[in-house]
Amino acid sequence: MLKIHKINRRTYPNFVHHLYSVLFEAGITPHSFSDSSDDENRKEWRLPSDVILKDKVGKVIIYIEQHLTEDLSLNKLADEIELSKYQLIRGFQKEEGTTPWKFLVHKRIENVKKLLEDGMSPGQAAVESGFYDQSHMNKAFREATGQTPKEYQEKNFKNKN
């Protein structure tokens, strides 16, 4: 069992870095030790903010994938992880390199591609993927792929035959 004695404040950052490295290698999510500014005797354990952010963004991604066809708003996503919509946008951008809305549209387009390859009509694929209507899907699809859904479908059917 590892015993940790009083740590000198100058060596604390190096110790924490080393401890985090050991815990990550062991597959354990580390917690950081934080002194409360109001009371020197009160100490609390908390997750580092970057770990919390990754966890919350991961939860949003899972939520989006599970509710892809529903009407999802930024407020609804932010409420799911108990952040403001602005914190969600900044955190999502930091972790994923894109906004939650662009991520959602990308996932819906991927779903449309699968449905079109299976022979579904573009209008039905739009509804099944959560787009408002076919014209909304056409615009997003063309921006993402450079072709219309019908062109994409015909190209994939020719390749299958």
Side-chain angles (χ1 to χ4, degrees):
M1 176 156 198
L2 178 66
K3 288 188 178 182
I4 301 175
H5 298 284
K6 229 178 194 181
I7 300 169
N8 184 327
R9 288 199 181 269
R10 288 177 297 196
T11 61
Y12 179 76
N14 293 334
F15 171 78
V16 170
H17 183 269
H18 175 71
L19 181 61
Y20 277 16
S21 299
V22 170
L23 291 173
F24 273 120
E25 287 176 19
I28 300 169
T29 302
H31 291 72
S32 65
F33 194 66
S34 171
D35 291 334
S36 175
S37 59
D38 353 53
D39 181 9
E40 286 194 25
N41 296 325
R42 186 173 157 233
K43 307 218 183 258
E44 59 186 41
W45 287 95
R46 62 179 172 80
L47 283 170
S49 60
D50 59 332
V51 174
I52 293 171
L53 182 62
K54 286 180 184 180
D55 182 51
K56 289 190 179 232
V57 169
K59 287 179 182 178
V60 169
I61 290 171
I62 291 169
Y63 188 84
I64 287 172
E65 289 172 347
Q66 291 176 345
H67 300 90
L68 191 61
T69 60
E70 296 176 15
D71 185 23
L72 296 177
S73 69
L74 196 55
N75 288 331
K76 188 172 188 172
L77 295 174
D79 287 346
E80 283 296 316
I81 58 169
E82 299 174 353
L83 289 178
S84 74
K85 61 184 179 181
Y86 306 107
Q87 290 172 315
L88 171 60
I89 292 170
R90 282 192 306 272
F92 206 95
Q93 182 77 39
K94 180 180 177 185
E95 292 299 319
E96 294 298 314
T98 188
T99 64
W101 177 252
K102 287 182 181 177
F103 181 84
L104 173 64
V105 170
H106 172 76
K107 286 294 186 182
R108 286 179 174 170
I109 288 172
E110 292 301 313
N111 193 43
V112 167
K113 286 180 181 180
K114 289 177 192 170
L115 296 173
L116 291 174
E117 289 172 12
D118 290 339
M120 189 176 284
S121 71
Q124 186 64 30
V127 172
E128 293 287 326
S129 298
F131 285 101
Y132 301 118
D133 54 27
Q134 187 174 350
S135 65
H136 179 234
M137 187 239 343
N138 284 344
K139 182 179 180 199
F141 197 92
R142 191 178 325 204
E143 287 175 5
T145 65
Q147 53 190 347
T148 67
K150 193 67 176 171
E151 291 169 345
Y152 179 84
Q153 190 176 41
E154 289 171 357
K155 179 181 175 184
N156 284 303
F157 278 142
K158 286 182 183 176
N159 291 340
K160 286 184 176 181
N161 294 333

